[in-house]
Amino acid sequence: MAGVHASSWTGLHPKLGCRGRWGDNDLPPVVAGTVIRVDVEHLPRPSPSPRKTLWLWSGPGEPDLDLCWRASLRRFDIEHTFRFVKSTLGWTTPALQTPDQANRWTWLVVAAYTQLRLARGLVDDQRLPWEPPRDPAKLTPARDRRGFRRLRPTLGTPASAPKSDNPGPGRPKNTRRPPPTRYSAVKKAA
């Protein structure tokens, strides 16, 4: 069993500014908490990278080490989700001009991510040659995306058939369009 050493310091607080959540305040509040340092003697498997110290923060009150540890593990999943959404689904790719555009784009990316997660049980594992096989119920969003390509044609669409790319017949020969209606210019008095 690896030796684990945990140290903690209570009564510490982050340096907050009067922005974001506390933008309306004259002075930011003091949120005291506990900083926890976790050191491990050795890891279960040999690793070429050096051991890193794990730093955790717990809010006011007595820190629950089990809850802090689980929250740290959950953070790993969240960071990889953001990485996937940014790099693969293109969340930060468009140059949006207004907050409303950014909000709509974010909801479109969330809808695409949700479709990938819902299609998990319907797609086949299209793995790369160096990837090990996975249980279809535990596919990652990237593997869902690879398999979604084969699923999409079988789903159908509520849209009508696409129109032809060929131009239409146009106006019949020897016909004239009437001149456009002219409107007097609006003049403002100075």
Side-chain angles (χ1 to χ4, degrees), residues 81 84 88-89 110-128 131-132 134-153 155:
T81 300
F84 175 77
T88 307
L89 297 183
V110 168
Y113 183 79
T114 304
Q115 280 191 337
L116 288 176
R117 297 311 278 169
L118 291 174
R120 182 190 300 180
L122 302 173
V123 298
D124 296 328
D125 185 11
Q126 302 294 318
R127 63 188 180 90
L128 297 174
E131 293 176 334
R134 288 193 91 142
D135 178 19
K138 296 183 178 181
L139 293 179
T140 63
R143 286 194 181 184
D144 288 339
R145 184 171 166 260
R146 281 186 229 146
F148 198 77
R149 191 175 320 157
R150 293 187 180 175
L151 175 69
R152 193 175 48 214
L155 295 177

Side-chain angles (χ1 to χ4, degrees), residues 170-180:
R171 198 174 327 122
K173 289 186 178 184
N174 298 328
T175 61
R176 291 187 169 202
R177 188 180 284 177

Side-chain angles (χ1 to χ4, degrees), residues 1-2 40-47 51:
M1 187 74 172
V40 179
E41 222 173 85
H42 62 85
L43 299 173
R45 289 183 295 213
S47 173
R51 289 189 319 267

Side-chain angles (χ1 to χ4, degrees), residues 31-180:
V31 181
T34 303
V35 175
I36 304 165
R37 177 182 175 175
V38 181
D39 291 309
V40 179
E41 222 173 85
H42 62 85
L43 299 173
R45 289 183 295 213
S47 173
S49 60
R51 289 189 319 267
K52 293 183 180 176
T53 302
L54 176 64
W55 292 92
L56 305 170
W57 186 85
S58 176
E62 187 68 27
D64 182 2
L65 291 179
D66 187 49
L67 179 64
C68 290
W69 173 253
R70 290 182 190 281
S72 174
L73 292 178
R74 183 72 180 119
R75 183 176 169 218
F76 177 83
D77 295 338
I78 292 170
E79 287 176 359
H80 280 276
T81 300
F82 274 107
R83 180 179 176 211
F84 175 77
V85 167
K86 286 179 179 181
S87 64
T88 307
L89 297 183
W91 186 28
T92 56
T93 302
L96 303 172
Q97 303 296 319
T98 65
D100 288 338
Q101 290 173 345
N103 195 22
R104 281 192 300 270
W105 180 249
T106 298
W107 281 111
L108 283 172
V109 170
V110 168
Y113 183 79
T114 304
Q115 280 191 337
L116 288 176
R117 297 311 278 169
L118 291 174
R120 182 190 300 180
L122 302 173
V123 298
D124 296 328
D125 185 11
Q126 302 294 318
R127 63 188 180 90
L128 297 174
W130 58 85
E131 293 176 334
R134 288 193 91 142
D135 178 19
K138 296 183 178 181
L139 293 179
T140 63
R143 286 194 181 184
D144 288 339
R145 184 171 166 260
R146 281 186 229 146
F148 198 77
R149 191 175 320 157
R150 293 187 180 175
L151 175 69
R152 193 175 48 214
T154 65
L155 295 177
T157 177
S160 58
K163 293 183 178 180
S164 172
D165 288 344
N166 299 333
R171 198 174 327 122
K173 289 186 178 184
N174 298 328
T175 61
R176 291 187 169 202
R177 188 180 284 177

